[in-house]
Amino acid sequence: MAPLLFRLPRRRNGDGAMSTPGTVVFTDQESDDQLALLDILDHVLNQGVVIRGTLIISLAGVDLVYVGMDVILTSIETAMRHIHPPLTK
Amino acid sequence: MPILLYCVVENTDSLLPPLGVAGTGVTQLEGGGLTVLFSRAPSAEVWTRAPLQQAAKEFHRVLNDIFKSRAVVPFRFPTIMQTDEEVASHLNSRAHAYRAWLDEFKDDAQMEALISYSNQPPSSASTGAAYLEEKKKRQDDLERVASSLRNSAASSLRGWRERTVQPGLRCFALVPRGSVAQFNALITHATVPDHFAVRISGPWPVTEFLDSRGV
């Protein structure tokens, strides 16, 4: 089963507009900046009702049917950990 | 034909958003006294192919457009079903829970505060025990900031929850829609130590306060 993958935009460090020490800042959902995108992605991908359903993904014109599965969305790093688990002694 | 679910609402007497994700139309189906909003497409790949971030943004736009005028119970993206019958069956079987949530939160919004370290110094711990103590201290510091935020905004709150996340601590505030401006004004008075940053976002549809047992 191929998980749906996406890469989250990286935060920039030391950017006063993104991380202002000792203050409360507000982000605007309507803007296109990275912070707004992070919030939006967290909401639509991590919050809301989850129900089991049937997902059909078409790859190269072939429908792959997954019955009764929960849709999995993960970061590339998390997916790689599952694909290549660390060796245990 | 695959169906991408957006949300459940009580009624749609206002116009539906003209466009859904990837340019698909938004339509509705009624059942159990409620309405579910969704899009259809020849293939689910229309919504799930890269870049997925764009699809997620468009999904948010649809939800936000609807949420501006009414309470919604959003589905997580992407929640996909195959037939109208499947959608109707789900709606009828879960109508009681959805209706309870929509009634309870019909006048509410969710505001969020992300508390994180501005410039977190690297760990100076030389032992495992010292590392755990350092980690606990950082968590305690985050929770103190959260407590300051909560106390500052207390008069505007109907509920408050917290969740540890990778950058720090995310706080969820249940706020009446009419009190969002008051919440924003109050929370700026919270005490935030210099090495912390607080970022407020919202209003969002209420999700963190939904009891998942009903679905």
Side-chain angles (χ1 to χ4, degrees):
Chain A
M1 179 182 77
L4 298 175
L5 304 177
F6 69 94
R7 185 183 295 276
L8 283 173
R10 291 184 179 277
R11 289 175 184 263
R12 297 191 300 276
N13 291 324
D15 184 334
M18 296 182 72
S19 175
T20 309
T23 62
V24 175
V25 297
F26 296 85
T27 55
D28 178 7
Q29 296 175 43
E30 307 294 330
S31 80
D32 289 327
D33 68 17
Q34 297 280 57
L35 290 178
L37 177 60
L38 284 172
D39 286 336
I40 288 169
L41 289 175
D42 178 69
H43 264 264
V44 302
L45 298 174
N46 293 328
Q47 299 188 42
V49 172
V50 176
I51 57 176
R52 294 178 65 81
T54 302
L55 173 66
I56 296 179
I57 300 176
S58 292
L59 295 176
V62 178
D63 282 351
L64 307 176
V65 180
Y66 303 98
V67 179
M69 63 163 271
D70 294 322
V71 176
I72 299 173
L73 287 171
T74 183
S75 66
I76 290 176
E77 290 78 11
T78 302
M80 292 305 294
R81 279 202 300 273
H82 287 282
I83 294 172
H84 300 291
L87 294 175
T88 55
K89 294 184 181 177
Chain B
M1 178 176 286
I3 293 171
L4 173 68
L5 302 181
Y6 293 104
C7 60
V8 176
V9 298
E10 277 195 317
N11 61 68
T12 56
D13 50 348
S14 300
L15 291 173
L16 297 173
L19 281 180
V21 177
T24 54
V26 178
T27 188
Q28 65 189 65
L29 184 149
E30 296 182 8
L34 300 170
T35 300
V36 62
L37 301 176
F38 61 92
S39 288
R40 290 194 185 91
S43 164
E45 194 181 352
V46 167
W47 303 303
T48 59
R49 64 184 169 209
L52 196 60
Q53 289 181 23
Q54 183 60 31
K57 284 174 62 176
E58 292 173 1
F59 186 86
H60 161 73
R61 172 183 51 76
V62 172
L63 283 184
N64 207 39
D65 282 350
I66 302 167
F67 176 61
K68 284 176 182 173
S69 61
R70 73 201 66 229
V72 304
V73 176
F75 289 99
R76 197 172 296 192
F77 178 80
T79 298
I80 299 174
M81 292 188 171
Q82 294 310 307
T83 64
D84 287 20
E85 290 73 25
E86 190 178 352
V87 176
S89 173
H90 172 79
L91 192 59
N92 284 316
S93 66
R94 303 291 188 266
H96 177 74
Y98 289 144
R99 196 176 300 111
W101 289 340
L102 288 168
D103 285 345
E104 182 175 359
F105 302 114
K106 65 177 182 284
D107 297 320
D108 294 322
Q110 182 172 297
M111 299 297 293
E112 297 183 13
L114 178 62
I115 308 168
S116 58
Y117 280 89
S118 298
N119 288 295
Q120 185 171 352
S123 173
S124 59
S126 57
T127 67
Y131 171 76
L132 290 175
E133 283 180 15
E134 191 178 84
K135 187 176 176 182
K136 183 177 185 315
K137 181 185 179 308
R138 290 180 175 177
Q139 184 65 24
D140 290 344
D141 289 344
L142 288 168
E143 290 174 1
R144 259 194 295 278
V145 177
S147 180
S148 175
L149 294 175
R150 182 177 185 173
N151 291 338
S152 294
S155 61
S156 66
L157 298 178
R158 276 212 329 122
W160 181 273
R161 293 188 180 177
E162 298 172 5
R163 176 153 45 98
T164 298
V165 293
Q166 193 275 328
L169 192 68
R170 189 178 285 274
C171 306
F172 303 87
L174 185 64
V175 179
R177 283 180 185 255
S179 299
V180 168
Q182 179 192 13
F183 170 87
N184 288 342
L186 290 171
I187 210 156
T188 56
H189 298 299
T191 301
V192 181
D194 284 343
H195 46 285
F196 287 96
V198 175
R199 186 162 58 81
I200 307 296
S201 65
W204 305 95
V206 176
T207 52
E208 192 69 13
F209 299 87
L210 302 181
D211 181 352
S212 63
R213 288 173 298 175
V215 179

